[in-house]
Amino acid sequence: MSESTDAAAAADRTDPAAQIAAGYAFTGPALELGALLWDGACLPGHQICVPLAMLNRHGLVAGATGTGKTKTLQLIAEQLSANGVPVFLADIKGDLSGITAPGTPGERIGERARDVAQQWEPAACPGEFYSLGGIGPGIPVRSTVTAFGPVLMSKVLQLNQTQEQSLGLIFHYADAKGLELVDLKDLRAVVAFLVSDRGRPELKGIGGLSTATAGVILRALTAFEAQGAAQFFGEPEFDTSELLRTAADGRGVVSVLELPAVQDKPQLFSTFLMWLLADLYNGLPEVGDLEKPKLVFFFDEAHLLFGGASKAFLQAVTRTVRLIRSKGVGVFFVTQTPKDVPADVLAQLGNRVQHALRAFTPDDAKALKAAVRTFPRSAYDLEELLTALGTGEAVVTVLSENGAPTPVAATRLRAPQSLMGPVPAADLEQAVKSSVLWPRYAEPVDRESAYERISAEQAAAEAQAEAAAEAAEAEKRARAAERDTAPEKAAARRSGRGAPKADPSLAEQVVGSGLFRSLARSVGTQLGREISRSLFGTARRRR
């Protein structure tokens, strides 16, 4: 080793900035986040990166409103796409659709690019737009109740253990009888049937369902539907493997789930997340550590996801985040402070990008101290640094190629190359309608399932009961008439002449008329329909 090399190495050991940068000198492919900030200066020669292979170890992007979290999400997502990794973006605010359009050059972007030594060029990512059940613009994403399953359904309905077991029994009965549970109306119909006089004997052989438990399940379903969940359940069912697609040029497709129309329905969004992650986990093989992830999720505004969430939901998310890494899937949560994410989930997030935090209130100060404690020891005064960072700057620590945390690095982040904002509504609609997936999922399909079959059987039973009642009434009238005319007939036989015909009264004429009988049947049928509605929901047959 030459004297100059020795001198450089010695200088590096005494230069904190060089020591930090050395922790980000990766040998494999990596995403470029930005340039190191040290002692108030931006050092473009010291680049801060995250190894591509570590993106399935999950991550967190946090920071106060207006600090650039969404742009950081966009920066990472578009580089993943460029490296052939499909990306899923949950767009709560509706401002991520711009990732599918090239960015617009400007003075601020040019200045940022010069600061961080970025060769900035406008670029768009290949993308698809989705919506939950067709609520808002996008290709509708739906799931059948059967595919969703009794376990997840019990969790989102917040049922206790006994009620969960009863719901499992209901699913089992439906499977055994070939009653397909496509939408929530099907599930409600089966529950109501099994506690009716006709359906109760069906469960004797495999266990019972109490009326009280059925009532709890039906009320929970009603509340769930009020959140807009009815539109999520149905057919055609979305194939989650669509999210793993790549474009013809090898870039990963960015799937943008448009959620502005349902941001006030957190239970619906939580339901979708649980189903999506569970379906992917069950469908993907174990792959261990890969050179790059198969898919990376970004959930923007994660505090809406976890705020007020049930214990069962939090347990399900924690378990899925722990296990889905081995399937090659990464999950990133984007929120305001780390405390928005449950501690058990936060412990699984190996890659951290922390934007500025504010300390305007005592609660803010507590949140700041809590955020500092989540970072490894560093050469910075993090409590001071996190309140002084500018827009587009963040404190970064990621997992190195050997899985160890990198040194904490204050970073001036690169500018996204795609459009930083939403695309025009007309362009979004055109992109949705021109997608190859639109004909496959756009129109809901309503084939015969449990609700239709049970309703048809109920109608047949009502018609049979009405016919039997009419026959019994006719026989009764015939016998009464025979008894009434018997004395007259006997007298007539004795006198040798026929019995005189009595003029019927007005009431008898009305009761015996065809119009009256038709009206009676109509009232009886309507009454039967009202009873059917109380058991099975609306009696109107779906198209």
Side-chain angles (χ1 to χ4, degrees):
M1 185 179 291
S2 64
E3 292 183 5
S4 60
T5 304
D6 290 340
D12 286 347
R13 286 193 294 271
T14 59
D15 181 2
Q19 290 179 359
I20 294 171
Y24 293 86
F26 307 125
T27 58
L31 308 186
E32 298 173 323
L33 299 180
L36 181 68
L37 287 171
W38 180 257
D39 199 20
C42 182
L43 308 176
H46 293 326
Q47 290 293 309
I48 304 302
C49 309
V50 53
L52 183 60
M54 291 293 110
L55 268 296
N56 70 331
R57 303 298 179 92
H58 313 315
L60 174 73
V61 179
T65 300
T67 56
K69 299 187 301 297
T70 302
K71 305 301 182 291
T72 300
L73 179 162
Q74 196 168 336
L75 171 67
I76 298 174
E78 63 186 22
Q79 290 189 67
L80 283 167
S81 174
N83 280 275
V85 179
V87 176
F88 176 90
L89 303 179
D91 187 9
I92 295 286
K93 297 177 293 186
D95 56 358
L96 290 174
S97 58
I99 198 169
T100 60
T104 304
E107 183 178 346
R108 295 179 62 184
I109 289 179
E111 182 181 355
R112 175 59 61 100
R114 289 189 294 272
D115 285 348
V116 299
Q118 177 184 10
Q119 298 296 320
W120 191 91
E121 293 180 358
C125 297
E128 296 280 8
F129 296 97
Y130 298 97
S131 64
L132 290 186
I135 306 175
I139 299 164
V141 176
R142 304 181 185 91
S143 170
T144 63
V145 171
T146 295
F148 200 76
V151 176
L152 282 182
M153 187 63 72
S154 297
K155 294 185 186 303
V156 299
L157 296 181
Q158 300 184 31
L159 304 181
N160 61 32
Q161 185 176 4
T162 300
Q163 294 156 358
E164 180 178 345
Q165 292 170 349
S166 296
L167 187 61
L169 189 65
I170 293 166
F171 272 74
H172 173 75
Y173 171 81
D175 290 341
K177 295 296 183 179
L179 297 171
E180 294 192 66
L181 303 177
V182 175
D183 51 27
L184 293 180
K185 191 159 41 181
D186 292 323
L187 179 57
R188 192 190 306 109
V190 174
V191 175
F193 171 73
L194 289 176
V195 294
S196 68
D197 292 337
R198 292 180 56 240
R200 196 174 291 114
E202 296 281 328
L203 280 179
K204 283 187 176 180
I206 56 175
L209 176 65
S210 72
T211 304
T213 299
V216 171
I217 295 174
L218 291 173
R219 287 193 296 273
L221 284 172
T222 301
F224 192 31
E225 285 182 290
Q227 286 277 332
Q231 292 176 269
F232 171 59
F233 290 98
E235 288 181 323
E237 186 174 23
F238 183 72
D239 184 353
T240 54
S241 65
E242 307 281 14
L243 303 178
L244 301 173
R245 296 163 54 226
T246 55
D249 58 5
R251 291 181 297 164
V253 172
V254 179
S255 300
V256 184
L257 180 67
E258 292 294 330
L259 293 170
V262 296
Q263 61 179 296
D264 60 338
K265 300 177 175 65
Q267 191 177 12
L268 178 58
F269 176 47
S270 300
T271 299
F272 168 77
L273 169 62
M274 293 176 69
W275 167 77
L276 181 60
L277 293 179
D279 193 74
L280 280 170
Y281 178 78
N282 292 327
L284 291 174
E286 293 280 342
V287 294
D289 293 326
L290 300 173
E291 292 182 358
K292 61 182 181 181
K294 286 187 174 183
L295 174 68
V296 177
F297 280 83
F298 289 87
F299 295 106
D300 199 8
E301 304 293 334
H303 64 279
L304 296 177
L305 173 67
F306 294 112
S310 66
K311 182 178 180 181
F313 170 75
L314 297 178
Q315 290 174 343
V317 171
T318 303
R319 182 170 59 254
T320 304
V321 169
R322 284 175 178 167
L323 298 177
I324 205 168
R325 180 198 66 79
S326 62
K327 306 281 187 171
V329 176
V331 179
F332 275 68
F333 296 101
V334 183
T335 189
Q336 296 186 4
T337 71
K339 69 182 182 66
D340 292 334
V341 180
D344 289 342
V345 176
L346 191 63
Q348 308 299 318
L349 311 182
N351 303 295
R352 305 281 298 281
V353 180
Q354 177 67 62
H355 287 262
L357 291 173
R358 307 304 179 210
F360 298 139
T361 69
D363 288 342
D364 291 342
K366 288 181 181 179
L368 174 62
K369 291 181 181 295
V372 169
R373 288 197 297 269
T374 62
F375 282 90
R377 295 182 61 183
S378 75
Y380 299 92
D381 181 347
L382 287 180
E383 194 167 334
E384 179 181 349
L385 177 63
L386 285 175
T387 59
L389 292 171
T391 302
E393 297 176 347
V395 171
V396 175
T397 180
V398 300
L399 294 180
S400 65
E401 291 167 313
N402 62 7
T406 59
V408 175
T411 307
R412 181 162 295 167
L413 298 164
R414 293 182 168 221
Q417 294 176 283
S418 54
L419 181 65
M420 290 186 281
V423 298
D427 292 349
L428 193 155
E429 183 178 0
Q430 181 180 1
V432 171
K433 297 294 179 63
S434 62
S435 169
V436 296
L437 301 182
W438 177 254
R440 194 178 307 170
Y441 297 107
E443 291 298 323
V445 176
D446 191 15
R447 57 188 175 85
E448 184 181 72
S449 51
Y451 173 79
E452 286 79 11
R453 285 187 55 185
I454 292 175
S455 296
E457 292 175 3
Q458 177 74 6
E462 289 174 4
Q464 184 178 2
E466 184 180 352
E470 288 182 355
E473 183 63 26
E475 184 178 356
K476 181 180 178 181
R477 287 197 300 268
R479 289 176 180 175
E482 187 176 352
R483 286 195 304 269
D484 292 343
T485 60
E488 295 182 8
K489 289 179 179 179
R493 284 195 298 270
R494 287 192 298 270
S495 63
R497 58 184 177 80
K501 291 185 179 181
D503 293 335
S505 67
L506 178 60
E508 290 172 333
Q509 293 180 45
V510 172
V511 170
S513 69
L515 177 62
F516 181 85
R517 288 196 299 271
S518 176
L519 178 61
R521 283 196 300 270
S522 176
V523 171
T525 302
Q526 182 66 22
L527 179 59
R529 286 176 180 163
E530 292 301 326
I531 295 173
S532 179
R533 284 191 183 97
S534 69
L535 293 175
F536 306 112
T538 176
R540 184 176 60 185
R541 185 178 178 83
R542 299 175 296 167
R543 289 187 177 182

